Amino acid sequence: MSLACHAHGRRGDFRFDIGFESPSQAVAVVGPSGCGKTTFLHGLAGLLAESTARIRIDDALVLDDGMKRTPVHRRAVGYVFQDIRLFPHMTVEQNIAFSRPYGGDEMTVAQALDLMDLRGYERRRPAGLSGGEARRVALARALAARPRLLLLDEPFTGLDVKRRERLAPYLLRLRDEVRLPMILVSHDPRDLDLIAEDVVRVAGGVVDANA
Ligand SMILES: Nc1ncnc2c1ncn2[C@@H]1O[C@H](COP(=O)(O)OP(=O)(O)OP(=O)(O)O)[C@@H](O)[C@H]1O
């Protein structure tokens, strides 16, 4: 599988122009705090007013803002926020079903629940979940929209070593069984060992050519 992504634009005074081509399916974008990792993901997801993006997976142009900007809900891009952002007033199942209308019809809420081993959690609310469980719900919510690319912002943040080891197989399941292309952003080298197949280094809003 090959993955080519590019996003450029600005967030306030910060300008960025970040892109890569990779023969891998799981690419990590790494770099120091403030270098633009999250901004890059936001650009790809359409969450910035002043940015454009382009995504190619194998021979398919999945997204191209060149002529006309694609709205967030038509981007076929799943996003798991660093701080998870589940809807607190909804149950686990309602959280997952929320993104369902924006995707295709193959991946159902039930399949997302199965994939993330969330059977039995359907009626629970986010406040009653552990950090790792909440991350699995956030992954299931992203999956239920049937994305063609998954964006993960610091997927293990806030989890200790034991909990990281418990969450990792779920991400590997998406990578190796579902074959879902993913870009993860991280400042922690351990994340790269766990799931990344390729690494892109970023500094000051651009890819670091010397890395
Ligand atoms: N809402 C905002 N308005 C204006 N500038 C912002 C905003 N959010 C972030 N920035 C700026 O954009 C730049 C890139 O920030 P970004 O969050 O993408 O970095 P990062 O590499 O993800 O950092 P970290 O690892 O600390 O999360 C920073 O210089 C930051 O100050």
Side-chain angles (χ1 to χ4, degrees):
M1 184 178 287
S2 69
L3 184 56
C5 296
H6 183 211
H8 66 103
R10 48 183 269 175
R11 174 181 232 168
D13 293 335
F14 179 78
R15 291 182 180 277
F16 71 103
D17 188 342
I18 297 173
F20 63 80
E21 277 186 52
S22 172
S24 309
Q25 185 205 337
V27 179
V29 174
V30 301
S33 185
C35 72
K37 303 185 294 293
T38 297
T39 304
F40 172 54
L41 291 193
H42 282 196
L44 293 176
L47 298 175
L48 297 177
E50 295 176 279
S51 74
T52 20
R54 192 178 158 94
I55 299 171
R56 182 181 289 279
I57 297 169
D58 292 330
D59 290 331
L61 191 58
V62 170
L63 171 74
D64 187 0
D65 282 335
M67 299 290 280
K68 187 167 176 283
R69 190 180 161 82
T70 310
V72 175
H73 62 283
R74 296 231 184 85
R75 289 192 170 229
V77 169
Y79 197 107
V80 179
F81 292 92
Q82 180 171 356
D83 55 358
I84 305 178
R85 302 192 197 182
L86 297 178
F87 302 111
H89 60 293
M90 293 183 189
T91 64
V92 164
E93 189 164 23
Q94 288 166 341
N95 264 280
I96 297 169
F98 184 84
S99 61
R100 176 73 186 76
Y102 303 110
D105 54 11
E106 286 166 60
M107 172 65 76
T108 61
V109 172
Q111 283 173 306
L113 280 164
D114 285 339
L115 264 171
M116 293 297 112
D117 281 342
L118 288 166
R119 288 292 173 196
Y121 289 75
E122 291 94 327
R123 306 185 76 81
R124 285 170 64 173
R125 287 187 196 269
L129 301 175
S130 72
E133 290 163 350
R135 280 187 182 271
R136 274 153 53 203
V137 177
L139 284 166
R141 181 174 61 180
L143 277 174
R146 197 73 182 144
R148 295 176 70 181
L149 172 68
L150 187 61
L151 306 177
L152 303 163
D153 195 349
E154 301 277 358
F156 296 102
T157 205
L159 299 179
D160 62 22
V161 173
K162 211 172 79 191
R163 291 181 176 83
R164 294 165 71 89
E165 281 170 6
R166 265 196 236 138
L167 181 67
Y170 291 98
L171 291 166
L172 292 175
R173 189 179 277 183
L174 299 181
R175 190 189 77 179
D176 300 333
E177 291 175 31
V178 183
R179 303 286 303 154
L180 184 61
M182 52 178 78
I183 301 175
L184 68 120
V185 147
S186 178
H187 66 275
D188 190 332
R190 291 176 302 178
D191 296 355
L192 313 185
D193 296 340
L194 279 172
I195 41 177
E197 296 171 324
D198 199 1
V199 175
V200 173
R201 290 183 196 282
V202 168
V206 295
V207 172
D208 188 352
N210 301 316

